[in-house]
Amino acid sequence: MSTPRTTQTGWNRERTVCFTIDAEPDCPPFLWSWRGIEEGAPKLFDLLDELSVPATFFTTGDTAAHYPSFAAEVVERGHELGCHGHSHRSFMDMSVEEARNELSESSSILRDFGVVTSFRAPYLQLPEPFVPLLKEHGYLLDSSLAKYKVAYWRRWHSSGLIRVPASITSSWLRLPPKIRDPILRSRKTPLVLFVHPWEFVDLRKTGIRWDCRAGTGPHALSAIKDVIELLQAEGVHFSHMRDLEREDTG
Ligand SMILES: [Zn+2]
């Protein structure tokens, strides 16, 4: 159990938090196994139920094709199903036609499970000229930017979409609370957090990058629980990404 915390002043009352999950193979491009979907996702689903947190699952078309029961469960449990491309290839290396194909294929698979209007590119990298393609494929919101990446600070356009950047990178949520909690408190609304199902599988002995594997497994799950309980104790509002208002973003 985490320690109850007293309410902080000033930062929480109007604060919206989006808890998002990038559902994909295990830690691409280092591994391409599916332990996260098979072993990690059930633990995450149960934790989100226990804490009554609505989440947004940005899911690759490939994941939904391999694990249709996973995509169905996202919707059945009341979460938002979003799109994370099809193959988890980076859009940075694609031609316009390849990007169109990725969007068509993934959208068609995912929309068999429900309405899908939110998008996040793999590796949080989407070339600006591709943003209008999202609208062309029926997307209303893009979360491919990240406040901790250079692209966010360059010139970007709404292109008619709501654009909501990720606030902090997933491995930071596994840092010690003394470092992590001030970072969480310093971010503006909406606070967009993201994790991956593979983080809840112990990957510490695999050869993936150190910051990706550190703290994976049971520690990651208890860290997420701690973060959500901290935010709930502060009185924030958890929201699906599709429910964000335009004025909340930026
Ligand atoms: Zn991803």
Side-chain angles (χ1 to χ4, degrees):
M1 285 293 290
S2 58
T3 341
R5 297 172 169 89
T6 51
T7 299
Q8 305 294 306
T9 52
W11 70 279
N12 58 325
R13 289 290 165 217
E14 305 295 325
R15 202 149 195 240
T16 296
V17 179
C18 294
F19 190 79
T20 70
I21 297 97
D22 292 356
E24 57 192 40
D26 300 332
C27 202
F30 305 105
L31 300 173
W32 290 93
S33 46
W34 294 99
R35 291 182 65 194
I37 301 298
E38 292 177 1
E39 302 166 40
K43 295 187 178 84
L44 183 59
F45 278 137
D46 288 347
L47 180 67
L48 295 173
D49 272 3
E50 181 192 329
L51 300 175
S52 300
V53 169
T56 300
F57 284 74
F58 291 105
T59 303
T60 66
D62 198 30
T63 302
H66 275 86
Y67 294 91
S69 59
F70 165 80
E73 195 166 358
V74 167
V75 176
E76 281 161 18
R77 294 212 189 208
H79 301 299
E80 177 183 2
L81 187 64
C83 178
H84 193 43
H86 181 70
S87 62
H88 210 278
R89 255 187 79 196
S90 171
F91 279 85
M92 306 303 275
D93 305 327
M94 287 183 205
S95 66
V96 177
E97 257 339 282
E98 287 175 315
R100 272 209 175 92
N101 289 341
E102 275 275 322
L103 290 169
S104 299
E105 197 168 3
S106 51
S107 305
S108 134
I109 293 170
L110 292 165
R111 286 177 179 150
D112 277 347
F113 298 91
V115 176
V116 178
T117 56
S118 300
F119 179 84
R120 174 178 289 151
Y123 311 107
L124 292 152
Q125 291 179 329
L126 184 69
E128 281 298 303
F130 288 179
V131 174
L133 300 181
L134 300 181
K135 203 161 178 224
E136 190 182 300
H137 286 82
Y139 291 94
L140 304 175
L141 179 143
D142 172 53
S143 184
S144 301
L145 289 161
K147 288 192 175 174
Y148 54 90
K149 289 196 174 211
V150 175
Y152 173 73
W153 303 101
R154 292 201 194 112
R155 207 172 157 77
W156 51 272
H157 304 280
S158 75
S159 303
L161 284 106
I162 301 174
R163 300 195 73 184
V164 191
S167 302
I168 60 173
T169 188
S170 58
S171 54
W172 291 10
L173 298 179
R174 309 196 298 264
L175 290 171
K178 270 191 182 163
I179 302 170
R180 178 193 66 202
D181 293 355
I183 296 173
L184 287 171
R185 289 198 171 97
S186 70
R187 294 304 189 265
K188 287 183 186 164
T189 189
L191 176 65
V192 179
L193 306 176
F194 76 94
V195 298
H196 310 86
W198 51 261
E199 292 175 53
F200 309 112
V201 177
D202 189 347
L203 298 177
R204 286 174 297 173
K205 294 208 168 83
T206 64
I208 62 176
R209 215 172 62 200
W210 178 85
D211 62 313
C212 296
R213 68 175 193 258
T216 54
H219 169 73
L221 200 66
S222 72
I224 294 312
K225 186 173 188 210
D226 202 35
V227 164
I228 292 173
E229 287 179 336
L230 162 70
L231 295 167
Q232 286 179 326
E234 302 280 359
V236 305
H237 165 65
F238 280 87
S239 170
H240 289 142
M241 292 215 79
R242 67 181 171 216
D243 295 331
L244 291 178
E245 299 292 334
R246 186 174 299 271
E247 55 269 25
D248 283 339
T249 64

